Amino acid sequence: MSQYSKTSLYYKLMRVYSNFVYPMWYSSENIMINGRGNIPEGEPVIFAPNHQNAFVDAMALLYSSPQPVVFWVRADLFQNKLVDKILRSLKMMPAYRMRNGVENLKKNDESIDNSVDILTHDQFLCLMPEGGQDEKRRLRPLVKGIFRSAFAAQEKMSDEWVKIVPVGIDYGHYDRSGRHLIVNFGRPLNIKDYYEQYKENAPRTMNTIKEDLSSRMKPLMLHIQDEEDYNTFYTASYLFNEAMLRALQLEDNLTNRLIARQKLIAIFDKAKAENDAELNPLRIACAEWNGKSDDIAFRARVAEERGFDAELVIKLIYLVVTLPLVVYALVMNFIPYAISKALGRNSKGSGFEASFKMGAAMFFCPIFYLIETALFPTLLEGLYGLFDISVTATRMQQLLFFLTLPISFFFMLRYKWKFQYVKERLRNIFCKRLVKRRDEAIASIQKLVAKYKEDR
């Protein structure tokens, strides 16, 4: 049995910790997981998710999966001995590609042998079928690595058939906390259906199974193939999200909003194929409404709400009343939060921004919380000393203080999200030009939807 087939106490604790932090980072009410019933039970399973957000994709799958998952990870991340040890302890195996040198490809044999061992011991495996990541909401051409691994594993298994489960992950924003996350598990591919054909003609079978997996992954995610109008189509799909929900007569939830966006992208693709003249005003209107912001999903969702209402008033009052608490939270979390923000800024554009920010927060926060808890008696004595009062901190007070620290971090995040919401609501109320540009974009979208409604 390989080290990956065993689940150590350390891994179990880290998974519990990760699965506690992850929904807090996105906010549990903004997370939706669908299709868990498509994951075979007690069978060898390989997950095949779209790959857009580095280690955050892996955490999404780990959070959504009913049991541990072993990941194939790009081999260059294992060059440092300490990092190598940490990644392997977290059930990550190196995957060598051509860019790592032809001479290193042979090293994948060890990972394949480990994969067989993992699959035969009822643990899940994950390979990214696109072969790399890209911060675009589209499915790129699939590479053969996942299928080679599946067939290689199958050749060493006699009484069970490997299943490849397609997974679609959709983020409201790749790098910002508090935005939505959707994880969709699709119907699995059974290697049994391709095995005889593979033995007769491996190259042709590879192409067939690639096409089949791709066709099952695209409906699980937002797939915007068009490169030239990518930003226009993405922006428009969110601006018209609520209206499309009504047109489709769907209940308003995260999953149905994704379905509505998918329908809109299909309409835009049809209009583009026919070189529809209505696309020109749409491009202009979307660009003018969006400006340079990259937080399109959030801004479009907030823009659906018009004028002053009870929710806006309540959030305004909340921000004022809880201001002393957020000051406390900022003081207690300033150093780890600043480190997290700095690492995020330094990694912008790399595809690892969210991974560094979340990873830094998960690593540094507990360390500083322990330091602050150790210093708590001294701080307490100094505080009461200002009033010439003698006091000694008890163990229970230290424990209660320690428990307030992680709570304060997540409170600070939620305060930030509410502040962003209120700020954007007020911007929509007082900036009439912004509302006008939004209405112009929606009018352009409405014309396209009306024209191509028979294709929906």
Side-chain angles (χ1 to χ4, degrees), residues 43-58:
E43 299 183 60
V45 169
I46 301 177
F47 289 122
N50 59 312
H51 193 25
Q52 302 170 351
N53 208 2
F55 287 112
V56 179
D57 289 340

Side-chain angles (χ1 to χ4, degrees), residues 305-314 316 421-422 425-430 432:
E305 304 172 49
R306 303 291 186 100
F308 276 99
D309 57 17
E311 183 178 11
L312 179 56
V313 173
I314 290 171
L316 274 167
Y421 170 85
V422 169
R425 282 288 303 271
L426 294 176
R427 186 165 171 253
N428 280 298
I429 290 171
F430 294 109
K432 301 301 182 184

Side-chain angles (χ1 to χ4, degrees), residues 5 41-45 67-68 116-125 160:
S5 301
E41 295 183 11
E43 299 183 60
V45 169
Q67 58 189 69
V116 175
D117 191 63
I118 291 159
L119 293 171
T120 55
H121 284 90
D122 296 329
Q123 296 208 43
F124 295 157
L125 189 64
E160 291 184 300

Side-chain angles (χ1 to χ4, degrees), residues 25-26 50-54 56-57 134-138 169-177 179-180 221-222 230 234 294-295 351-355 357-358:
W25 187 268
Y26 283 98
N50 59 312
H51 193 25
Q52 302 170 351
N53 208 2
V56 179
D57 289 340
D134 179 30
E135 286 191 321
K136 293 284 187 181
R137 290 162 176 81
R138 68 164 65 99
I169 306 175
D170 182 70
Y171 298 94
H173 195 286
Y174 289 131
D175 304 314
R176 298 190 182 186
S177 62
R179 307 305 185 245
H180 79 251
M221 55 181 287
L222 190 64
Y230 176 88
Y234 179 67
D294 66 346
D295 206 358
F352 281 82
E353 182 179 346
S355 299
K357 286 165 67 174
M358 193 186 305

